Amino acid sequence: MKLGVCYYPEHWPEAWWDEDARAMVAMGLSVVRIGEFAWSRIEPEPGAFDWGWLDRALDTLHRHGLQVVLGTPTATPPKWLVDADPSMLAVDYHRHVRGFGSRRHYCFSSESYRDQCTRIVTALAERYGNHPAVVAWQTDNEYGCHATTLSYSAGAVRRFRRWLAARYGDIAALNAAWGNVFWSQEYRSFDEIDAPNLTVTEANPAHRLDYQRFASDEVASFNRLQVEILRAASPGRDIIHNFMGFVTDFDHNDVAADLDVASWDSYPLGFTEQFWFDDDCKARYLRQGHPDIAGFHHDLYRGVGRGRWWVMEQQPGPVNWARSNPAPLPGMVRAWSWEAFAHGAEVVSYFRWRQLPFGQEAMHAGLTLPDRSTDVGGVEAAQVAREIAQLGPLPAASRAEVALVFGYPSVWMSEIQPQGRDLSALRAAFEMYTALRRLGLDVDIVAPGADLAGYRLIAVPMLLDADAALATKLAASGAQILIGPRSGSKTRDFQIPAALAPGALQALLPLAVTRVESLRRGASVGVSIDGVAHGVTRWREWVRTDLTPRARFADGGGAWFSHGKAHYLAGWPEPAMLRTVLRALTEAAGIATTDMADGVRWRRRGGLCLAINYAAEHRPAHAPAGAKFVLGGPDLPPAGIAAWRLA
Amino acid sequence: MKLGVCYYPEHWPEAWWDEDARAMVAMGLSVVRIGEFAWSRIEPEPGAFDWGWLDRALDTLHRHGLQVVLGTPTATPPKWLVDADPSMLAVDYHRHVRGFGSRRHYCFSSESYRDQCTRIVTALAERYGNHPAVVAWQTDNEYGCHATTLSYSAGAVRRFRRWLAARYGDIAALNAAWGNVFWSQEYRSFDEIDAPNLTVTEANPAHRLDYQRFASDEVASFNRLQVEILRAASPGRDIIHNFMGFVTDFDHNDVAADLDVASWDSYPLGFTEQFWFDDDCKARYLRQGHPDIAGFHHDLYRGVGRGRWWVMEQQPGPVNWARSNPAPLPGMVRAWSWEAFAHGAEVVSYFRWRQLPFGQEAMHAGLTLPDRSTDVGGVEAAQVAREIAQLGPLPAASRAEVALVFGYPSVWMSEIQPQGRDLSALRAAFEMYTALRRLGLDVDIVAPGADLAGYRLIAVPMLLDADAALATKLAASGAQILIGPRSGSKTRDFQIPAALAPGALQALLPLAVTRVESLRRGASVGVSIDGVAHGVTRWREWVRTDLTPRARFADGGGAWFSHGKAHYLAGWPEPAMLRTVLRALTEAAGIATTDMADGVRWRRRGGLCLAINYAAEHRPAHAPAGAKFVLGGPDLPPAGIAAWRLA
Amino acid sequence: MKLGVCYYPEHWPEAWWDEDARAMVAMGLSVVRIGEFAWSRIEPEPGAFDWGWLDRALDTLHRHGLQVVLGTPTATPPKWLVDADPSMLAVDYHRHVRGFGSRRHYCFSSESYRDQCTRIVTALAERYGNHPAVVAWQTDNEYGCHATTLSYSAGAVRRFRRWLAARYGDIAALNAAWGNVFWSQEYRSFDEIDAPNLTVTEANPAHRLDYQRFASDEVASFNRLQVEILRAASPGRDIIHNFMGFVTDFDHNDVAADLDVASWDSYPLGFTEQFWFDDDCKARYLRQGHPDIAGFHHDLYRGVGRGRWWVMEQQPGPVNWARSNPAPLPGMVRAWSWEAFAHGAEVVSYFRWRQLPFGQEAMHAGLTLPDRSTDVGGVEAAQVAREIAQLGPLPAASRAEVALVFGYPSVWMSEIQPQGRDLSALRAAFEMYTALRRLGLDVDIVAPGADLAGYRLIAVPMLLDADAALATKLAASGAQILIGPRSGSKTRDFQIPAALAPGALQALLPLAVTRVESLRRGASVGVSIDGVAHGVTRWREWVRTDLTPRARFADGGGAWFSHGKAHYLAGWPEPAMLRTVLRALTEAAGIATTDMADGVRWRRRGGLCLAINYAAEHRPAHAPAGAKFVLGGPDLPPAGIAAWRLA
Ligand SMILES: [Zn+2]
Ligand SMILES: [Zn+2]
Ligand SMILES: [Zn+2]
């Protein structure tokens, strides 16, 4: 449980560095990330390295006892490099070259750019691989951010064809897998295949899915190139990447397989404003962010990082990039920090040390102000540091009783072929997560390939490509299993299973989905459960089965089927219905639940329970009578937190 | 009155074909459309035809007594053809080439592609022109769908210049017609003229109108090329094209002039979701579709087809291409089928036989499911087949007493120069149609050039280019004539008539429109009719005339003018006002009307009256007391139908 | 106080010209603008001039005593010129060439096009520079309209690099000014710099700001080229440009520095529909336009023109270019005319003489109709002419007591880096202007560099780049000074000032802005002033100061600070709060205010006060008891005006 900060010595007079380091220590920070955008300073002219300033910066930080995460600067190749090789630039859907002048202006498939990355990372690793301040490396920065996973360059198409040839072996297999007989889309050789952009109407979904898989693999192999260099030249250091919240364009598990630690960048207010939440929700959580944004990602990246994860960038105040950028509620930076530690973060690192007076992020807050005074975020970070010291080491987070199965390819499938609006597999997973945490539960978000043994409740909210291996593990788990609609509705080739959805999951429930419909905003279909009126929105299915439905739609169709410990929802439930279903399942599984007040969330860590209030008004912590509080008390003010020892 | 289905033998194992054909017959289907996207299977390599599978498919269908409509595959040229001649691809407004990977990826103006079409159609026609199963041909598929009528390719510009030279003879005539003196847009030769895309602000509307006319002519000549081959090689077969609902980018009358039968593709739910209907309407008719979508097109294509028309593709369940895709109400597929027959359809053919597990349309329902079981649509189709048999042959549809004059170029004009929102000539025609059918009337939708003799009421809702020939026919018709705003407001050169609007229609009413205004959503101008408050929305005109208005706007201006049997509306009426006006005119014309309950529609066919309930609740059929029902009864359930013999 | 009209003799039969001129005189018009789009008629073939028609047109107008403003035709180069040199075309953000076929299809940076302009303007000036009818010249037409200030052509980039080299001298200075160390955006030479388009995410705001400054300078130098030719060849004539309302892409002061008279094109209904006003406002002022659109621009261009300004184009009826185009209320054209004269316009010139039957503007009303009859606008223009004659010469407008400081670069900054929505510096200035005029005040809108001596209240609504020179002038003015949020928040290099915002304005108030936030629509922060509940929307700041706030936010932070005569608002006030603050300041300044009824505006001119009612209902003129009316009376009907002598 360490606090850290992102720092850019190259942005500030060298005369300030020593005082900066001292102030970081005084604030209680111990980890500093540097270097990840500094290529033009490290190599101002082709081949001419300037290490001096970075040597001095590292030495300064080291002198103050700060531990350094050193970033590779490959997200920002300098202009001279771009001019020397314009083919390295990414190309957008409309075939416009995405040029220099911001960041992430490279195509993952550019082999010449990969050579350049090898060169700069090798130079960095050789120089600092054994520097005593360096405890970890960050590869690149926020892969996929600014919609950069997909590129439609000539180089990408070339490598896509090779990737396809490796995957399918011969073109007939590809034509069969993609169903290219439809609309005469058949190819005679891999060399005839283009990227799926600029088609007259929608491209073949299987074509798009493979392009996304290919692009995801490109990200992973691009990252692996750096990891291999760093691992060889910098033994004993953790290798980390900072994933961006809500970016799902590539499979984070594949990238993280090469890493030691997963980390993510947590901007709850910006995400609340930019994502799917409705206006009411955005207004209610204006200065706190939706209460599950942080938790969802924490639990996701704990899985992605195989237990080891950080928050590499924590929002410290208003950001600059959302449509509107409110200030967090006083205390919110502290609350976010504790939410992260409650979920098991090793490090929470704030972005950034000091607000910058220039550049694209000049309006992004830091822990300190451009005039070197301390900002609100800095005050709250210092408070967190004091509280950490006061609490002493916490027990390790224990495994949750509830698992939520989430897979990136399923998100791609749901977005490539949405069939309706407002219900991607990502959003479905998020809404399931909210329902679980509204019941006071801890959740592990796990990949479809994860070990599921030991869980007592497993939710599969919307896993389109659920396969036989997963079905087998689910059946063997002994857990209550809740399967949401669309799960198992597609094969790996993006085809409808021969025996219809839920495909391989039919091993758990003897039913077949014969029809689906998507519903416009405002439309719903009523469902009655034990006499209470509920409903589904956005998605509804018709099921053929001999099972007697446990709940029915208003038109008599089955809405909720149970077979042993397996349960299937034939529509996307409204929140109250979802909680009703989950209450029944947790009861069956012997899991205790608590109906949390709106805006309150719990998270246990070992013998400690932490409660956070995301509401803008006072809320109860829901602590049991006689709870021994180590932080706060039974009443939570806005942005308030409380922690007590579990009995 | 036959039922048919669209079938793709190439999508399914050959071992299934015989059973498929048997099941079609068992379901009561007798017509099967095949082949229209199968180019890559017919000619897998350049010049190497594979007829075997198609021979066997035709023979299988024939063996079961099924009649085949064979489609030409020109909507989906294979990749090898595109690679050999990329110039055949269409180019969009932004000069992006619209590539391979879906369908309709060709430019109508590509002469090399026309050669390819000649080649493949000739080959098909020679092989199957006299096949006993083949009763009809379909040319291409859904011309104009996916915004493919207009292409901005170099080839299109070349042919546009030739087209202009032929139309205008010399450049001075074009400059005068287009008013090119405005903004120095004058040309010195036809070779200086480009397509009207990527201009700094809006292009000259006359330039755009001629480009649209040219593009429309290109569709017609493209189609004619195929018709001539088929007519020569396949005597005695009907030649058909399947027009797409709500596509008005080219003049369907010009294409149909070369056809034997017009047909259209009817997807009431998708159209309701995608088109202009407001949220209330979309919610109310979620699972039924707007009650006039099917009828409007039926009556339109009966005119386009000079009496002969089919529904080539009938929605059988949820589709995949709208923003949201609900399932039809139980019974709705049956109701749509009967609505078509009531309007005089020769064939109603469902799309498609079986839902496909792959490709862009995998989420589109069929009559049967991917696992070969029967879906809801199949059950309802079988019911329709039984009902047809039970009813026996119906009398031919008699001519309606009411004509609605609708012209494609007028739609183009209203969209090229909208002046305001939400009121294209298409929408105006549709709203007029709704008002007429809410009064229980049968309607013929006719082209401006059609014979108007014998009608008792003729509505000209918004015909911008109404000309002297039409005025003469209207005057001679003896009918009550209702002329809506904007009618006659433009000459064929898209100019304001010298004596102002309604131009040539001034022969019917001595008035001139001196000013028009368009009104934003929510704005209206009150109109009082016989003491009842009405109003116009979206469009209002000021008229100079000696006539005393029959109704006035709140500010005293005339809103409704009558002169003999001719009536003019100086604004776009709200629905209730339009019905009030129509009631007065029908009374004057001696036409009986019935105020239909919301969602109920009648259509007479010979001595039979059919009533359909599009409401989601029960509704009265409005049948006269003592009506002899041959289908249903006086109470219509949701999606219910009733039919009775007229006295 | 003259009335004028825009006339296009080339659009009409020569036989009509004499009668047109006679009718203009009869209507009371004395000024006629011609020629500004007539290049293709002046030079129908390269180098072959046709002066005859223009000679005769000028002679006809002259014969009737009409004074002519002759326009240079450079906004509409003919097709032959474009074909001969396609490099003259502008290029859009996506690198699409903006082609021929409408107007303004040139790149300001094209040196070859500048040569062509020199050639045609010289030819015009030599022929007509001393023509007795010509009293003024108009350069080009509506610079910047249709988003034409910025072009991303190769030529523009070439000149941008030269411009940067001139501005910064060496590349290190540019790198420092732009903060290019951020994200490795550093350049090694000016030749490495591109235009800021097609970047992966937002471009460097300083890069964008300099591109905008460069583009603004290009407009000014393009205009200067013409001015220099005209001034030399046509002595004694005024040189004018007609700026377009709400276009702020270039600095109008820089262009006007070379002109004798500023003029603007006033389309209140179109602007109301197209700009930021909410739906309620658009509905309420549907046929009148927002009551401050005309006044704001009048007061702006009086400053831009250093006291001399015209309305070159006055809306005479419905226009054609907004989403919806309603007709003005009867009397509104007259009211707009008088509002202009009340603010000091020398000429109000209507656009256009006659509605055109063809071309892009065929649906745009004129003073007369295509059939040569007089339209409503013509009737009202004649009324204005009679009223001018009846009133006799008016006293010159006296200087206002209130100044509003407005700068174009500040608008660019606020739009390049908005941080939140709905609050550009333009909109803030407009809302401040509304608040002042709701209090019955006359306002001078002045550039930051203007002389501020003598004003009693100076408002600086949102001047991001307020500098030390302005601070000094403000301090020396002796006026009450109201400074709005974001003012002084940026240096000229678009950096946050070293001592934080309000930067140089800290000379007036000892405070520093430590944090800002933007708020989504619907969100506000309460402010209590003297016990009355107010609020800020869209923008709120946190301030560090020893001053005691004069009003506080609900959370205790200061919302309104005063220090001597200087006042600072730490948020964007709701209208009622802004008026409350202004009432306090005007009282302190000894300025009398009047709470105007909604929709009523006053403007004094010398000893006359004019009142205009923009409401659609009757309103009081607020004239003092016993006022001597020279126009109208104490009750204002809709669109009514009244004028009385001030005591
Ligand atoms: Zn693009
Ligand atoms: Zn495009
Ligand atoms: Zn483009």
Side-chain angles (χ1 to χ4, degrees), chain B residues 319-339:
Chain B
V319 301
N320 63 303
W321 46 263
R323 279 180 301 258
S324 66
N325 297 291
L329 219 55
M332 207 63 228
V333 173
R334 170 187 171 235
W336 288 326
S337 306
W338 274 111
E339 174 95 66

Short mmCIF file of all heavy atoms in Angstrom, two decimals, chain B residues 319-339:
data_model
loop_
_atom_site.label_atom_id
_atom_site.label_comp_id
_atom_site.label_asym_id
_atom_site.label_seq_id
_atom_site.Cartn_x
_atom_site.Cartn_y
_atom_site.Cartn_z
N VAL B 319 -35.82 -7.97 -37.67
CA VAL B 319 -34.73 -7.79 -38.63
C VAL B 319 -33.46 -7.42 -37.87
O VAL B 319 -33.45 -7.37 -36.63
CB VAL B 319 -35.07 -6.74 -39.71
CG1 VAL B 319 -36.33 -7.16 -40.48
CG2 VAL B 319 -35.22 -5.35 -39.11
N ASN B 320 -32.39 -7.19 -38.63
CA ASN B 320 -31.10 -6.97 -37.98
C ASN B 320 -30.57 -5.55 -38.18
O ASN B 320 -29.54 -5.21 -37.61
CB ASN B 320 -30.07 -7.92 -38.57
CG ASN B 320 -29.85 -7.65 -40.05
OD1 ASN B 320 -30.81 -7.68 -40.83
ND2 ASN B 320 -28.63 -7.34 -40.45
N TRP B 321 -31.26 -4.75 -38.98
CA TRP B 321 -30.57 -3.55 -39.46
C TRP B 321 -31.08 -2.23 -38.88
O TRP B 321 -30.50 -1.18 -39.18
CB TRP B 321 -30.61 -3.51 -40.99
CG TRP B 321 -31.94 -3.80 -41.60
CD1 TRP B 321 -32.36 -5.01 -42.09
CD2 TRP B 321 -33.04 -2.89 -41.78
NE1 TRP B 321 -33.65 -4.91 -42.57
CE2 TRP B 321 -34.09 -3.62 -42.40
CE3 TRP B 321 -33.25 -1.54 -41.51
CZ2 TRP B 321 -35.32 -3.05 -42.75
CZ3 TRP B 321 -34.47 -0.97 -41.83
CH2 TRP B 321 -35.48 -1.73 -42.45
N ALA B 322 -32.12 -2.25 -38.07
CA ALA B 322 -32.58 -0.99 -37.49
C ALA B 322 -31.84 -0.74 -36.17
O ALA B 322 -31.17 -1.62 -35.65
CB ALA B 322 -34.08 -1.01 -37.28
N ARG B 323 -32.00 0.45 -35.65
CA ARG B 323 -31.33 0.76 -34.38
C ARG B 323 -31.79 -0.19 -33.29
O ARG B 323 -31.03 -0.60 -32.43
CB ARG B 323 -31.63 2.20 -33.97
CG ARG B 323 -30.77 3.23 -34.66
CD ARG B 323 -31.15 4.62 -34.19
NE ARG B 323 -32.55 4.89 -34.48
CZ ARG B 323 -32.99 5.64 -35.49
NH1 ARG B 323 -32.12 6.24 -36.29
NH2 ARG B 323 -34.27 5.81 -35.71
N SER B 324 -33.09 -0.51 -33.31
CA SER B 324 -33.56 -1.57 -32.43
C SER B 324 -34.50 -2.42 -33.24
O SER B 324 -35.14 -1.94 -34.18
CB SER B 324 -34.24 -1.00 -31.18
OG SER B 324 -35.41 -0.32 -31.54
N ASN B 325 -34.58 -3.68 -32.89
CA ASN B 325 -35.23 -4.65 -33.76
C ASN B 325 -36.17 -5.54 -32.97
O ASN B 325 -35.85 -6.67 -32.63
CB ASN B 325 -34.15 -5.48 -34.47
CG ASN B 325 -33.29 -4.62 -35.37
OD1 ASN B 325 -33.77 -4.12 -36.39
ND2 ASN B 325 -32.04 -4.43 -35.00
N PRO B 326 -37.35 -5.01 -32.70
CA PRO B 326 -38.31 -5.79 -31.91
C PRO B 326 -38.95 -6.90 -32.73
O PRO B 326 -38.89 -6.90 -33.97
CB PRO B 326 -39.36 -4.74 -31.52
CG PRO B 326 -39.28 -3.71 -32.58
CD PRO B 326 -37.85 -3.68 -33.05
N ALA B 327 -39.56 -7.83 -32.04
CA ALA B 327 -40.31 -8.90 -32.70
C ALA B 327 -41.71 -8.40 -33.03
O ALA B 327 -42.30 -7.64 -32.27
CB ALA B 327 -40.39 -10.11 -31.78
N PRO B 328 -42.25 -8.82 -34.16
CA PRO B 328 -43.63 -8.44 -34.49
C PRO B 328 -44.59 -9.05 -33.46
O PRO B 328 -44.30 -10.09 -32.86
CB PRO B 328 -43.87 -9.05 -35.86
CG PRO B 328 -42.52 -9.42 -36.39
CD PRO B 328 -41.64 -9.64 -35.21
N LEU B 329 -45.70 -8.40 -33.27
CA LEU B 329 -46.78 -8.94 -32.47
C LEU B 329 -47.19 -10.30 -33.05
O LEU B 329 -47.18 -10.47 -34.28
CB LEU B 329 -47.96 -7.98 -32.60
CG LEU B 329 -48.83 -7.66 -31.40
CD1 LEU B 329 -48.00 -7.13 -30.23
CD2 LEU B 329 -49.85 -6.59 -31.80
N PRO B 330 -47.54 -11.26 -32.21
CA PRO B 330 -48.06 -12.52 -32.78
C PRO B 330 -49.23 -12.22 -33.72
O PRO B 330 -50.12 -11.44 -33.38
CB PRO B 330 -48.54 -13.29 -31.54
CG PRO B 330 -47.74 -12.72 -30.41
CD PRO B 330 -47.52 -11.27 -30.74
N GLY B 331 -49.20 -12.77 -34.91
CA GLY B 331 -50.25 -12.53 -35.89
C GLY B 331 -49.92 -11.45 -36.89
O GLY B 331 -50.62 -11.26 -37.88
N MET B 332 -48.84 -10.73 -36.62
CA MET B 332 -48.55 -9.57 -37.47
C MET B 332 -48.08 -9.98 -38.85
O MET B 332 -48.38 -9.32 -39.85
CB MET B 332 -47.49 -8.71 -36.76
CG MET B 332 -47.55 -7.25 -37.12
SD MET B 332 -49.11 -6.45 -36.63
CE MET B 332 -49.50 -5.59 -38.16
N VAL B 333 -47.32 -11.04 -38.95
CA VAL B 333 -46.85 -11.50 -40.26
C VAL B 333 -48.06 -11.89 -41.11
O VAL B 333 -48.14 -11.57 -42.30
CB VAL B 333 -45.85 -12.67 -40.10
CG1 VAL B 333 -45.49 -13.26 -41.44
CG2 VAL B 333 -44.60 -12.18 -39.35
N ARG B 334 -48.99 -12.54 -40.48
CA ARG B 334 -50.24 -12.87 -41.18
C ARG B 334 -50.97 -11.58 -41.61
O ARG B 334 -51.41 -11.44 -42.75
CB ARG B 334 -51.14 -13.68 -40.25
CG ARG B 334 -52.55 -13.86 -40.77
CD ARG B 334 -53.44 -14.53 -39.71
NE ARG B 334 -54.84 -14.54 -40.08
CZ ARG B 334 -55.83 -14.03 -39.33
NH1 ARG B 334 -55.54 -13.46 -38.15
NH2 ARG B 334 -57.07 -14.09 -39.75
N ALA B 335 -51.06 -10.62 -40.69
CA ALA B 335 -51.80 -9.40 -41.01
C ALA B 335 -51.14 -8.65 -42.18
O ALA B 335 -51.82 -8.17 -43.09
CB ALA B 335 -51.89 -8.51 -39.78
N TRP B 336 -49.80 -8.56 -42.15
CA TRP B 336 -49.11 -7.89 -43.25
C TRP B 336 -49.39 -8.60 -44.58
O TRP B 336 -49.54 -7.94 -45.61
CB TRP B 336 -47.59 -7.88 -43.00
CG TRP B 336 -47.14 -6.94 -41.92
CD1 TRP B 336 -47.68 -5.73 -41.60
CD2 TRP B 336 -46.04 -7.12 -41.02
NE1 TRP B 336 -46.99 -5.15 -40.57
CE2 TRP B 336 -45.97 -5.98 -40.18
CE3 TRP B 336 -45.09 -8.13 -40.83
CZ2 TRP B 336 -44.99 -5.82 -39.19
CZ3 TRP B 336 -44.13 -7.97 -39.85
CH2 TRP B 336 -44.08 -6.84 -39.04
N SER B 337 -49.40 -9.92 -44.52
CA SER B 337 -49.65 -10.67 -45.75
C SER B 337 -51.03 -10.33 -46.31
O SER B 337 -51.19 -10.10 -47.52
CB SER B 337 -49.56 -12.18 -45.47
OG SER B 337 -48.32 -12.50 -44.84
N TRP B 338 -51.99 -10.29 -45.44
CA TRP B 338 -53.35 -10.00 -45.92
C TRP B 338 -53.51 -8.56 -46.38
O TRP B 338 -54.26 -8.27 -47.32
CB TRP B 338 -54.37 -10.35 -44.83
CG TRP B 338 -54.74 -11.80 -44.92
CD1 TRP B 338 -54.43 -12.78 -44.04
CD2 TRP B 338 -55.43 -12.43 -46.00
NE1 TRP B 338 -54.89 -14.00 -44.48
CE2 TRP B 338 -55.52 -13.81 -45.70
CE3 TRP B 338 -55.98 -11.97 -47.21
CZ2 TRP B 338 -56.14 -14.72 -46.55
CZ3 TRP B 338 -56.61 -12.87 -48.06
CH2 TRP B 338 -56.67 -14.23 -47.72
N GLU B 339 -52.81 -7.65 -45.71
CA GLU B 339 -52.85 -6.26 -46.18
C GLU B 339 -52.37 -6.20 -47.64
O GLU B 339 -52.93 -5.50 -48.48
CB GLU B 339 -52.00 -5.36 -45.28
CG GLU B 339 -51.86 -3.92 -45.75
CD GLU B 339 -52.87 -2.94 -45.14
OE1 GLU B 339 -52.83 -2.69 -43.92
OE2 GLU B 339 -53.69 -2.40 -45.90
#
